[in-house]
Amino acid sequence: MTLQAGRDFDRVILGIPAMALSIHRTAGPAGVKWKHMLSGVETVATQAVQLWLQPSVEQMGWRLIPPRSGQ
C-alpha cells in the first residue's frame, strides 16, 4: 500500500530526536534523497508523560522510603 500526502494524511510526525536521523548513512541515490529529506526537517519542543496506574509500587516490589525530616 502506498499512502499519498493530502489524501491519506496531512502531516507526518516522527517522534525521535533529529540527531538520531543524521546518524543514518545510506550510499548512492537513497543517501542523496535522505540528505535532502533531512534538510527540510523542522523541530518543536515537546513534553511527554507516562502514567502507570497498575500495578501499584508495592505490587512491583518497590518500597517507598519517606524523605528524612528537614528535606
Side-chain angles (χ1 to χ4, degrees):
M1 174 187 292
T2 301
L3 300 177
Q4 182 179 345
R7 182 189 72 195
D8 300 309
F9 62 91
D10 295 317
R11 295 195 173 148
V12 174
I13 299 172
L14 180 60
I16 66 170
M19 288 302 295
L21 293 172
S22 64
I23 63 173
H24 178 79
R25 302 194 194 297
T26 305
V32 173
K33 290 179 181 180
W34 187 260
K35 188 174 182 179
H36 178 70
M37 186 270 304
L38 286 180
S39 70
V41 170
E42 296 180 15
T43 61
V44 295
T46 60
Q47 292 182 339
V49 65
Q50 291 185 9
L51 300 175
W52 296 58
L53 303 175
Q54 293 182 3
S56 71
V57 171
E58 292 81 13
Q59 290 170 327
M60 291 188 292
W62 288 83
R63 183 173 59 99
L64 294 178
I65 302 172
R68 288 185 248 165
S69 62
Q71 289 186 344

